[in-house]
Amino acid sequence: MIDLGGRSASRISFLGSASNGPATGTATVTYTDGSTSSVSITMTDWAVGTPQSGNTIAATIAHWNAVDGSTLRTYVFATTPVALTVGKQVRSVTLPASTNQGCMHIFAVSAA
């Protein structure tokens, strides 16, 4: 769970990538009144330059460090902001406990 401190927000988005993905999971947004809403998150595989629908490239890394000396350009993605319940304050977000495949890596959450 990531505490967002009870802030007013109309949208939420995520920064991250997937390995052995793309990976899709469901996050839970908890509001200060105790109600919740579900948010689907999909992250594109970090080694794929063509983003999944709902992802944009946020950063490009020149190469990964591989034991065999190989190089591969990698990426970090941002999700398209998802609308939250109007008029509520966000207490926290709980990231997906599992994904449909691979592994999801979330580096940042933005609620605005």
Side-chain angles (χ1 to χ4, degrees), residues 3-110:
D3 186 349
L4 297 177
R7 67 176 27 206
S8 292
S10 60
R11 301 172 311 212
I12 192 166
S13 60
F14 302 86
L15 184 72
S17 61
S19 52
N20 299 313
T24 299
T26 302
T28 302
V29 176
T30 302
Y31 300 98
T32 55
D33 66 2
S35 63
T36 62
S37 60
S38 296
V39 176
S40 179
I41 304 171
T42 297
M43 283 295 171
T44 304
D45 189 288
W46 70 316
V48 176
T50 304
Q52 294 290 306
S53 178
N55 283 187
T56 58
I57 296 173
T60 302
I61 297 86
H63 64 86
W64 65 356
N65 293 324
V67 174
D68 66 2
S70 64
T71 61
L72 178 68
R73 183 169 291 163
T74 57
Y75 304 88
V76 175
F77 300 94
T79 63
T80 301
V82 175
L84 296 173
T85 305
V86 175
K88 295 200 176 202
Q89 294 182 323
V90 179
R91 168 67 60 212
S92 63
V93 62
T94 302
L95 298 177
S98 62
T99 60
N100 66 329
Q101 64 182 0
C103 186
M104 184 181 295
H105 310 278
I106 301 296
F107 307 126
V109 178
S110 175

